[in-house]
Amino acid sequence: MAASFGYNLDNPEGGDAITPMLYPSLMEDNGFVANLFNIHVKSSDDEIVTNYYDYLKNHQKQPWWSAITKWIGGIVKSIVPKAKVPSPESGVSGKRSPYWFTEEEEGIANIVRNAIMFTLNDKTGVISITTKAQDPLVAKILADSVQVYLQEFIIAYRTNKARVDVYHYEELVHQALAEYLRSSEEYSKFSDANKEVVMVSIQTKMNNMLKDMQIKYNTYTSLTAQYEASKARLQERIPAFTQLKGASVNVKPAGPKRMIFVIIMLILSTMVTIVVIFRHDLTKIITIRNS
């Protein structure tokens, strides 16, 4: 099982460059995170249908203290001058590089990293995907989509060398076929033009052309066999995945714990109530001690 995922237990350093133990580190890569921005999500009440980036940017419920932190952050930014950072530029294709985020995109990417987590069981090799979202259906969609992206990454990495070999042999087969057809056409024309000629030099040249055509045909058939073998190796390199437990829509929220929040607020409200009720007595006690 370990070998099928690219990890050599006998010689860990001699295996693939990326082992399953490094798959959880994918969330640190901006390119992988940027692919998750385009995941189509939908809320459980069907009121929100958008992509994951827009969901995090415009459809999040903010805590009551977020307004205070934003206000304080605005004051700090107005006092401390902000360093000028060059804006990301689009490439030749018109798409910006995922490794050059804006400040807003970097903030969204950090939220994604905190909301999605991979864990690997070293003993069983099972990869677990944990997702968090304010809407339970969005969390399930994220888990299913991230699973697909992770499988695509693993397949692309594990079959990279095999796919290069297939492309290489395919090019060689096309070249060998073109050379064989050209040699066959030249031999046919020369043979037809000298059909009744009995000169030794002509017969010798014709035999040489026939041998050359046969060599090119043998080369073509040999490369074709290697091309088919490389396609078979590519298929063998594709790992098989088994889903042990599918993602489900949680009925109860994972956090914050409502009972703990209620108990804390009850304690705080009790303390505030006691202070308010007995504030006059506390003031008298403090005055007497000071006097």
Side-chain angles (χ1 to χ4, degrees):
M1 290 176 59
S4 65
F5 281 97
Y7 187 66
N8 189 350
L9 295 178
D10 297 328
N11 185 16
E13 295 181 357
D16 290 340
I18 301 179
T19 65
M21 298 180 65
L22 298 178
Y23 291 155
S25 302
L26 282 175
M27 291 304 301
E28 299 177 6
D29 179 54
N30 281 5
F32 188 82
V33 174
N35 289 331
L36 305 181
F37 288 166
N38 298 322
I39 294 177
H40 292 282
V41 298
K42 181 177 68 172
S43 61
S44 53
D45 56 5
D46 293 335
E47 291 185 0
I48 301 174
V49 179
T50 183
N51 58 55
Y52 188 38
Y53 183 90
D54 181 70
Y55 172 77
L56 293 176
K57 179 182 177 181
N58 301 316
H59 301 281
Q60 294 294 288
K61 297 179 181 178
Q62 302 296 332
W64 58 269
W65 60 82
S66 62
I68 300 176
T69 56
K70 288 183 180 179
W71 178 70
I72 296 176
I75 295 177
V76 173
K77 289 182 179 180
S78 62
I79 297 175
V80 180
K82 185 178 179 181
K84 293 183 179 180
V85 180
S87 58
E89 298 179 356
S90 300
V92 178
S93 61
K95 296 182 180 180
R96 291 196 294 104
S97 170
Y99 299 99
W100 193 353
F101 279 157
T102 62
E103 183 177 354
E104 178 184 90
E105 291 171 342
E106 184 65 30
I108 297 295
N110 291 330
I111 296 176
V112 174
R113 293 187 179 99
N114 293 327
I116 301 173
M117 182 176 60
F118 301 150
T119 55
L120 174 69
N121 190 316
D122 298 337
K123 296 181 179 179
T124 62
V126 174
I127 300 176
S128 301
I129 301 174
T130 305
T131 59
K132 296 185 296 182
Q134 292 185 357
D135 189 280
L137 182 58
V138 172
K140 179 191 182 310
I141 295 174
L142 281 179
D144 293 334
S145 301
V146 170
Q147 175 187 348
V148 173
Y149 277 105
L150 181 60
Q151 289 180 356
E152 290 177 350
F153 171 83
I154 295 174
I155 292 174
Y157 168 71
R158 293 286 295 149
T159 61
N160 183 52
K161 177 62 168 58
R163 283 185 288 108
V164 172
D165 290 342
V166 170
Y167 176 77
H168 174 67
Y169 282 115
E170 184 179 10
E171 292 292 321
L172 292 179
V173 166
H174 290 324
Q175 294 176 8
L177 178 60
E179 292 179 0
Y180 165 70
L181 293 177
R182 183 174 63 254
S183 177
S184 176
E185 183 179 0
E186 291 177 355
Y187 172 76
S188 299
K189 290 181 179 179
F190 187 82
S191 178
D192 292 340
N194 301 276
K195 188 175 181 179
E196 298 180 356
V197 177
V198 293
M199 296 177 60
V200 177
S201 59
I202 298 298
Q203 294 295 330
T204 301
K205 184 175 181 180
M206 189 178 301
N207 291 334
N208 291 336
M209 293 181 67
L210 179 62
K211 292 178 181 179
D212 182 68
M213 182 183 67
Q214 187 64 40
I215 291 174
K216 286 182 170 56
Y217 176 77
N218 293 338
T219 301
Y220 166 70
T221 56
S222 175
L223 289 174
T224 301
Q226 296 183 51
Y227 173 58
E228 296 297 330
S230 66
K231 291 197 294 183
R233 287 194 297 269
L234 173 61
Q235 184 63 34
E236 291 176 357
R237 293 287 294 176
I238 298 177
F241 299 94
T242 301
Q243 185 177 17
L244 300 180
K245 182 181 178 181
S248 58
V249 179
N250 289 341
V251 178
K252 296 182 179 180
K257 301 299 182 181
R258 184 171 299 179
M259 289 302 299
I260 297 177
F261 178 77
V262 171
I263 292 174
I264 293 175
M265 294 304 297
L266 180 61
I267 294 174
L268 291 177
S269 61
T270 302
M271 293 175 62
V272 172
T273 303
I274 292 175
V275 171
V276 172
I277 294 176
F278 297 99
R279 65 181 184 278
H280 296 293
D281 296 334
L282 292 174
T283 304
K284 291 180 181 179
I285 293 174
I286 295 173
T287 304
I288 293 173
R289 287 183 178 181
N290 292 335
S291 61

PDB file of all heavy atoms in Angstrom, residues 256-272:
ATOM      1  N   PRO A 256     -18.718  27.546  17.954  1.00  0.00           N
ATOM      2  CA  PRO A 256     -18.275  27.410  19.344  1.00  0.00           C
ATOM      3  C   PRO A 256     -19.294  26.626  20.181  1.00  0.00           C
ATOM      4  O   PRO A 256     -20.467  26.560  19.828  1.00  0.00           O
ATOM      5  CB  PRO A 256     -18.151  28.847  19.817  1.00  0.00           C
ATOM      6  CG  PRO A 256     -19.138  29.593  18.986  1.00  0.00           C
ATOM      7  CD  PRO A 256     -19.141  28.913  17.639  1.00  0.00           C
ATOM      8  N   LYS A 257     -18.811  26.012  21.274  1.00  0.00           N
ATOM      9  CA  LYS A 257     -19.687  25.233  22.130  1.00  0.00           C
ATOM     10  C   LYS A 257     -20.721  26.148  22.798  1.00  0.00           C
ATOM     11  O   LYS A 257     -20.377  27.059  23.553  1.00  0.00           O
ATOM     12  CB  LYS A 257     -18.876  24.495  23.190  1.00  0.00           C
ATOM     13  CG  LYS A 257     -17.840  23.537  22.611  1.00  0.00           C
ATOM     14  CD  LYS A 257     -18.492  22.444  21.764  1.00  0.00           C
ATOM     15  CE  LYS A 257     -17.459  21.461  21.234  1.00  0.00           C
ATOM     16  NZ  LYS A 257     -18.075  20.406  20.392  1.00  0.00           N
ATOM     17  N   ARG A 258     -21.984  25.877  22.494  1.00  0.00           N
ATOM     18  CA  ARG A 258     -23.032  26.765  22.963  1.00  0.00           C
ATOM     19  C   ARG A 258     -23.166  26.737  24.480  1.00  0.00           C
ATOM     20  O   ARG A 258     -23.357  27.778  25.119  1.00  0.00           O
ATOM     21  CB  ARG A 258     -24.353  26.384  22.301  1.00  0.00           C
ATOM     22  CG  ARG A 258     -25.513  27.305  22.634  1.00  0.00           C
ATOM     23  CD  ARG A 258     -26.715  26.996  21.781  1.00  0.00           C
ATOM     24  NE  ARG A 258     -26.408  27.189  20.366  1.00  0.00           N
ATOM     25  CZ  ARG A 258     -27.297  26.968  19.387  1.00  0.00           C
ATOM     26  NH1 ARG A 258     -28.517  26.534  19.689  1.00  0.00           N
ATOM     27  NH2 ARG A 258     -26.963  27.159  18.141  1.00  0.00           N
ATOM     28  N   MET A 259     -23.064  25.556  25.086  1.00  0.00           N
ATOM     29  CA  MET A 259     -23.230  25.462  26.537  1.00  0.00           C
ATOM     30  C   MET A 259     -22.125  26.209  27.262  1.00  0.00           C
ATOM     31  O   MET A 259     -22.365  26.891  28.268  1.00  0.00           O
ATOM     32  CB  MET A 259     -23.248  23.989  26.966  1.00  0.00           C
ATOM     33  CG  MET A 259     -24.513  23.243  26.563  1.00  0.00           C
ATOM     34  SD  MET A 259     -26.010  24.012  27.235  1.00  0.00           S
ATOM     35  CE  MET A 259     -25.680  23.863  28.988  1.00  0.00           C
ATOM     36  N   ILE A 260     -20.883  26.067  26.761  1.00  0.00           N
ATOM     37  CA  ILE A 260     -19.773  26.792  27.386  1.00  0.00           C
ATOM     38  C   ILE A 260     -19.977  28.288  27.266  1.00  0.00           C
ATOM     39  O   ILE A 260     -19.756  29.049  28.220  1.00  0.00           O
ATOM     40  CB  ILE A 260     -18.438  26.365  26.742  1.00  0.00           C
ATOM     41  CG1 ILE A 260     -18.186  24.876  26.998  1.00  0.00           C
ATOM     42  CG2 ILE A 260     -17.283  27.205  27.275  1.00  0.00           C
ATOM     43  CD1 ILE A 260     -16.929  24.360  26.328  1.00  0.00           C
ATOM     44  N   PHE A 261     -20.453  28.737  26.098  1.00  0.00           N
ATOM     45  CA  PHE A 261     -20.700  30.165  25.900  1.00  0.00           C
ATOM     46  C   PHE A 261     -21.796  30.655  26.843  1.00  0.00           C
ATOM     47  O   PHE A 261     -21.679  31.734  27.443  1.00  0.00           O
ATOM     48  CB  PHE A 261     -21.098  30.401  24.441  1.00  0.00           C
ATOM     49  CG  PHE A 261     -21.428  31.826  24.117  1.00  0.00           C
ATOM     50  CD1 PHE A 261     -20.434  32.763  23.957  1.00  0.00           C
ATOM     51  CD2 PHE A 261     -22.754  32.234  23.988  1.00  0.00           C
ATOM     52  CE1 PHE A 261     -20.740  34.083  23.664  1.00  0.00           C
ATOM     53  CE2 PHE A 261     -23.068  33.547  23.701  1.00  0.00           C
ATOM     54  CZ  PHE A 261     -22.065  34.472  23.539  1.00  0.00           C
ATOM     55  N   VAL A 262     -22.856  29.847  26.992  1.00  0.00           N
ATOM     56  CA  VAL A 262     -23.953  30.242  27.888  1.00  0.00           C
ATOM     57  C   VAL A 262     -23.472  30.323  29.326  1.00  0.00           C
ATOM     58  O   VAL A 262     -23.818  31.262  30.070  1.00  0.00           O
ATOM     59  CB  VAL A 262     -25.121  29.241  27.757  1.00  0.00           C
ATOM     60  CG1 VAL A 262     -26.166  29.511  28.842  1.00  0.00           C
ATOM     61  CG2 VAL A 262     -25.756  29.339  26.377  1.00  0.00           C
ATOM     62  N   ILE A 263     -22.658  29.356  29.759  1.00  0.00           N
ATOM     63  CA  ILE A 263     -22.160  29.362  31.140  1.00  0.00           C
ATOM     64  C   ILE A 263     -21.276  30.565  31.395  1.00  0.00           C
ATOM     65  O   ILE A 263     -21.391  31.240  32.432  1.00  0.00           O
ATOM     66  CB  ILE A 263     -21.396  28.053  31.419  1.00  0.00           C
ATOM     67  CG1 ILE A 263     -22.363  26.865  31.416  1.00  0.00           C
ATOM     68  CG2 ILE A 263     -20.675  28.132  32.764  1.00  0.00           C
ATOM     69  CD1 ILE A 263     -21.678  25.524  31.531  1.00  0.00           C
ATOM     70  N   ILE A 264     -20.390  30.874  30.438  1.00  0.00           N
ATOM     71  CA  ILE A 264     -19.505  32.032  30.603  1.00  0.00           C
ATOM     72  C   ILE A 264     -20.309  33.320  30.670  1.00  0.00           C
ATOM     73  O   ILE A 264     -20.067  34.184  31.534  1.00  0.00           O
ATOM     74  CB  ILE A 264     -18.480  32.080  29.458  1.00  0.00           C
ATOM     75  CG1 ILE A 264     -17.510  30.890  29.554  1.00  0.00           C
ATOM     76  CG2 ILE A 264     -17.692  33.388  29.501  1.00  0.00           C
ATOM     77  CD1 ILE A 264     -16.554  30.808  28.391  1.00  0.00           C
ATOM     78  N   MET A 265     -21.284  33.457  29.764  1.00  0.00           N
ATOM     79  CA  MET A 265     -22.104  34.668  29.783  1.00  0.00           C
ATOM     80  C   MET A 265     -22.944  34.745  31.056  1.00  0.00           C
ATOM     81  O   MET A 265     -23.174  35.845  31.592  1.00  0.00           O
ATOM     82  CB  MET A 265     -23.018  34.689  28.547  1.00  0.00           C
ATOM     83  CG  MET A 265     -22.265  34.820  27.228  1.00  0.00           C
ATOM     84  SD  MET A 265     -21.194  36.280  27.172  1.00  0.00           S
ATOM     85  CE  MET A 265     -22.405  37.591  27.314  1.00  0.00           C
ATOM     86  N   LEU A 266     -23.387  33.593  31.577  1.00  0.00           N
ATOM     87  CA  LEU A 266     -24.149  33.594  32.818  1.00  0.00           C
ATOM     88  C   LEU A 266     -23.288  34.057  33.979  1.00  0.00           C
ATOM     89  O   LEU A 266     -23.737  34.851  34.826  1.00  0.00           O
ATOM     90  CB  LEU A 266     -24.692  32.186  33.084  1.00  0.00           C
ATOM     91  CG  LEU A 266     -25.536  32.005  34.366  1.00  0.00           C
ATOM     92  CD1 LEU A 266     -26.777  32.902  34.307  1.00  0.00           C
ATOM     93  CD2 LEU A 266     -25.944  30.551  34.527  1.00  0.00           C
ATOM     94  N   ILE A 267     -22.046  33.585  34.031  1.00  0.00           N
ATOM     95  CA  ILE A 267     -21.140  34.010  35.100  1.00  0.00           C
ATOM     96  C   ILE A 267     -20.853  35.502  35.006  1.00  0.00           C
ATOM     97  O   ILE A 267     -20.879  36.228  36.022  1.00  0.00           O
ATOM     98  CB  ILE A 267     -19.838  33.192  35.037  1.00  0.00           C
ATOM     99  CG1 ILE A 267     -20.120  31.718  35.347  1.00  0.00           C
ATOM    100  CG2 ILE A 267     -18.804  33.743  36.023  1.00  0.00           C
ATOM    101  CD1 ILE A 267     -18.927  30.819  35.160  1.00  0.00           C
ATOM    102  N   LEU A 268     -20.575  35.973  33.784  1.00  0.00           N
ATOM    103  CA  LEU A 268     -20.290  37.395  33.609  1.00  0.00           C
ATOM    104  C   LEU A 268     -21.497  38.257  33.968  1.00  0.00           C
ATOM    105  O   LEU A 268     -21.360  39.294  34.640  1.00  0.00           O
ATOM    106  CB  LEU A 268     -19.862  37.659  32.162  1.00  0.00           C
ATOM    107  CG  LEU A 268     -18.499  37.103  31.737  1.00  0.00           C
ATOM    108  CD1 LEU A 268     -18.254  37.372  30.255  1.00  0.00           C
ATOM    109  CD2 LEU A 268     -17.383  37.726  32.559  1.00  0.00           C
ATOM    110  N   SER A 269     -22.680  37.844  33.525  1.00  0.00           N
ATOM    111  CA  SER A 269     -23.872  38.631  33.848  1.00  0.00           C
ATOM    112  C   SER A 269     -24.155  38.618  35.351  1.00  0.00           C
ATOM    113  O   SER A 269     -24.606  39.638  35.909  1.00  0.00           O
ATOM    114  CB  SER A 269     -25.078  38.076  33.074  1.00  0.00           C
ATOM    115  OG  SER A 269     -25.322  36.727  33.430  1.00  0.00           O
ATOM    116  N   THR A 270     -23.894  37.500  36.007  1.00  0.00           N
ATOM    117  CA  THR A 270     -24.089  37.436  37.461  1.00  0.00           C
ATOM    118  C   THR A 270     -23.142  38.383  38.180  1.00  0.00           C
ATOM    119  O   THR A 270     -23.545  39.107  39.116  1.00  0.00           O
ATOM    120  CB  THR A 270     -23.868  35.998  37.963  1.00  0.00           C
ATOM    121  OG1 THR A 270     -24.774  35.123  37.278  1.00  0.00           O
ATOM    122  CG2 THR A 270     -24.109  35.910  39.462  1.00  0.00           C
ATOM    123  N   MET A 271     -21.893  38.394  37.755  1.00  0.00           N
ATOM    124  CA  MET A 271     -20.911  39.288  38.384  1.00  0.00           C
ATOM    125  C   MET A 271     -21.284  40.746  38.160  1.00  0.00           C
ATOM    126  O   MET A 271     -21.201  41.574  39.090  1.00  0.00           O
ATOM    127  CB  MET A 271     -19.525  38.995  37.817  1.00  0.00           C
ATOM    128  CG  MET A 271     -18.982  37.616  38.190  1.00  0.00           C
ATOM    129  SD  MET A 271     -17.420  37.247  37.392  1.00  0.00           S
ATOM    130  CE  MET A 271     -16.391  38.534  38.079  1.00  0.00           C
ATOM    131  N   VAL A 272     -21.699  41.071  36.943  1.00  0.00           N
ATOM    132  CA  VAL A 272     -22.093  42.459  36.660  1.00  0.00           C
ATOM    133  C   VAL A 272     -23.318  42.840  37.472  1.00  0.00           C
ATOM    134  O   VAL A 272     -23.419  43.956  38.026  1.00  0.00           O
ATOM    135  CB  VAL A 272     -22.360  42.635  35.145  1.00  0.00           C
ATOM    136  CG1 VAL A 272     -22.957  44.013  34.872  1.00  0.00           C
ATOM    137  CG2 VAL A 272     -21.080  42.447  34.347  1.00  0.00           C
TER     138      VAL A 272
END
